[in-house]
């Protein structure tokens, strides 16, 4: 909700955006709010937030921000609908979500609490609601402090990474200048074909040998993964009970009896080559398909050296092993070579090195908003979030334990049970 308040609130009306527009300085406002602000202040056109003077009243409609604001309003509506089921304290928490401003939400929460005080509550109930208020205020303050700590950490790492890049840039510039100087000397010597010039050229090359053998070094930069407080508890509310679809499994894959686990068997089973079955890729789909709603599941990958989990279109090609076109597959691939561990997303294929292997992956789908994301369940951190897409057909979970890799990758992929946590 902190993120929603920050991203979906108009600076002028302090409410969710309506027909948002973005000025040339990068700030966004409701269209009506911006026009009224300019109309009320008889001054040169300026941004109401940063007061930067604008050359002309130019702004661009921000349709994506408008869609996000719509999502925020839907969330508020869902909270309001669940008030009667949650009782008075549910209504108190709902009040904090109705108001975009930070302090306004806290004040609304407190007001609801005082409203309950005015009701004929027993002394025990009054004491209980005071505890609820106190705990909420503490949590609110804790999250604000934690956010500041994460921002400070990222700012520190950003400064360190920039220093590394600048130092590396200086080294490369010095190396390029040295090579350019050497090239100029050799070109000058080449114009004279005497033996003396050849000897001088040989001496110049010998002196420049350390420079010639020096390879440019790339600077590796890393940012810490920020733990998301309450991430797992929040995502588990959208738990989907996923099972594997035997009709889609490659003939070399062995599924568990409960259809929750898959591994590569090494021996081709005698199975019908039906149209739904993957014939060359070591892949199996989930039995469930999604055309709406939010869904979340977790997959135990353990110590495997290669694996792939994700979401694909129901119409994804099952035959052959060609790369899937963008928009047909949204997957996360884990790959370990020696001590080097990396994660890749597709498609298109993009990679990133990570410090520690991922043991358990969370997969989240919000169909209406076109959102797919992967989480590191152990660290409670975001691994990757795909850019918003527009889904027009059914989507299904996809799993691949990959090949055994000379016996180092024989472990299974296991869909975790979350029923006990919901």
């Amino acid at each position: 909700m902190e993120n929603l308040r920050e991203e979906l609130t108009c600076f002028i009306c302090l409410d969710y955006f309506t027909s948002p527009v973005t000025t040339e300085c990068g700030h966004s406002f409701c269209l009506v709010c911006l026009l009224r602000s300019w109309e009320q202040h008889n001054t040169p056109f300026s941004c109401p937030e940063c007061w930067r003077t604008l050359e002309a009243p130019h702004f661009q409609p921000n349709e994506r921000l408008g869609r996000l604001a719509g999502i925020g309003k839907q969330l508020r509506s869902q909270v309001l609908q669940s008030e009667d089921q949650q009782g008075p304290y549910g209504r108190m928490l709902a009040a904090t979500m109705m108001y975009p401003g930070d302090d306004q939400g806290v004040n609304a929460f407190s007001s609801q609490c005082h409203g309950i005080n005015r009701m004929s509550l027993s002394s025990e109930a009054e004491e209980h609601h005071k505890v609820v208020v106190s705990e909420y205020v503490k949590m609110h303050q804790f999250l604000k402090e934690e956010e500041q700590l994460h921002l400070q950490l990222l700012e520190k790492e950003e400064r360190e990474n920039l220093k590394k890049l600048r130092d590396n840039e200086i080294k490369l510039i010095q190396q390029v200048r040295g090579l350019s100087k050497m090239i100029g000397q050799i070109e000058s010597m080449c114009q004279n074909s005497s033996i003396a010039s050849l000897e001088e050229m040989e001496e110049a090359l010998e002196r420049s040998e350390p420079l010639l053998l020096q390879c440019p070094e790339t600077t590796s930069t890393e940012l810490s993964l920020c733990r998301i407080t309450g991430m797992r508890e929040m995502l588990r509310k959208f738990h989907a009970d996923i099972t594997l679809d035997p009709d889609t499994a490659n003939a070399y894959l062995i599924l568990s009896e409960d259809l929750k686990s898959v591994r590569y068997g090494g021996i081709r089973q005698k199975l019908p080559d039906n149209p739904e079955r993957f014939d060359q890729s070591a892949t199996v789909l989930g039995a469930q398909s999604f055309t709406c709603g939010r869904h979340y599941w977790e997959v135990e990958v353990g110590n495997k050296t290669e694996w792939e989990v994700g979401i694909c279109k129901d119409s994804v090609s099952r035959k052959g092993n060609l790369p899937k076109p963008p928009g047909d597959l949204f997957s996360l691939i884990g790959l370990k070579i020696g001590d080097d561990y990396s994660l890749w997303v597709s498609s298109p294929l993009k990679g990133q090195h990570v410090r520690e292997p991922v043991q358990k992956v969370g997969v989240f789908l919000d169909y209406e908003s076109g959102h797919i994301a992967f989480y590191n369940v152990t660290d409670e951190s975001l691994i990757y979030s795909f850019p918003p897409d527009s889904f027009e057909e059914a989507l299904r979970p996809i799993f691949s334990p990959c090949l055994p890799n000379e016996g180092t990758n024989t472990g299974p992929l296991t869909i975790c049970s979350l029923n006990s946590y919901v």
Side-chain angles (χ1 to χ4, degrees), residues 278 281 283-286 297 299 308-312 316 324 329-331 396-400 413:
F278 289 88
S281 173
T283 303
V284 59
L285 296 184
W297 58 95
V299 184
E308 182 175 11
V309 299
I311 296 173
C312 68
V316 69
K324 304 296 185 291
L329 176 66
F330 306 87
S331 72
R396 298 178 66 175
I398 187 170
F399 309 86
S400 175
L413 288 179

Side-chain angles (χ1 to χ4, degrees), residues 298-342:
E298 295 177 359
V299 184
E300 182 80 41
V301 301
N303 296 319
K304 292 180 65 63
T305 58
E306 187 177 359
W307 49 265
E308 182 175 11
V309 299
I311 296 173
C312 68
K313 289 183 178 179
D314 190 26
S315 61
V316 69
S317 174
R318 319 288 173 87
K319 307 303 179 183
N321 199 20
L322 296 175
K324 304 296 185 291
D328 280 9
L329 176 66
F330 306 87
S331 72
L332 178 70
I333 303 168
L335 184 62
K336 183 179 181 183
I337 302 176
D339 295 331
D340 185 50
Y341 193 83
S342 59

Side-chain angles (χ1 to χ4, degrees), residues 1 9 23 30 40 71 92 114 121 146 150 212 217 251 270 304 316 336 338-339 347 411 422:
M1 294 310 302
T9 302
T23 62
C30 300
Q40 292 172 0
I71 294 172
M92 288 189 290
H114 292 308
L121 293 178
E146 187 177 40
H150 285 320
L212 293 171
E217 296 180 0
K270 295 182 179 179
K304 292 180 65 63
V316 69
K336 183 179 181 183
D339 295 331
S347 54
V422 176

Side-chain angles (χ1 to χ4, degrees), residues 117-131:
N117 265 336
R118 289 192 292 269
M119 292 188 252
S120 57
L121 293 178
S122 65
S123 60
E124 181 180 355
E126 291 180 6
E127 186 65 27
H128 178 66
H129 98 264
K130 290 178 181 178
V131 173

Side-chain angles (χ1 to χ4, degrees), residues 173-232:
I173 291 174
Q174 292 174 346
Q175 189 175 354
V176 170
R177 287 176 178 173
L179 290 171
S180 299
K181 182 179 179 181
M182 183 193 67
I183 292 172
Q185 292 175 350
I186 293 175
E187 288 178 345
S188 176
M189 294 175 187
C190 287
Q191 296 176 2
N192 189 347
S193 59
S194 66
I195 296 178
S197 296
L198 293 175
E199 291 176 350
E200 291 176 0
M201 186 185 305
E202 183 179 1
E203 292 176 358
L205 290 172
E206 290 177 353
R207 289 194 303 269
S208 303
E209 184 177 0
L211 181 62
L212 293 171
L213 295 178
Q214 182 180 355
C215 296
E217 296 180 0
T218 58
T219 299
S220 60
T221 58
E222 292 183 345
L223 291 177
S224 299
L225 292 176
C226 294
R227 184 177 180 272
I228 305 174
T229 302
M231 180 205 79
R232 205 173 184 192

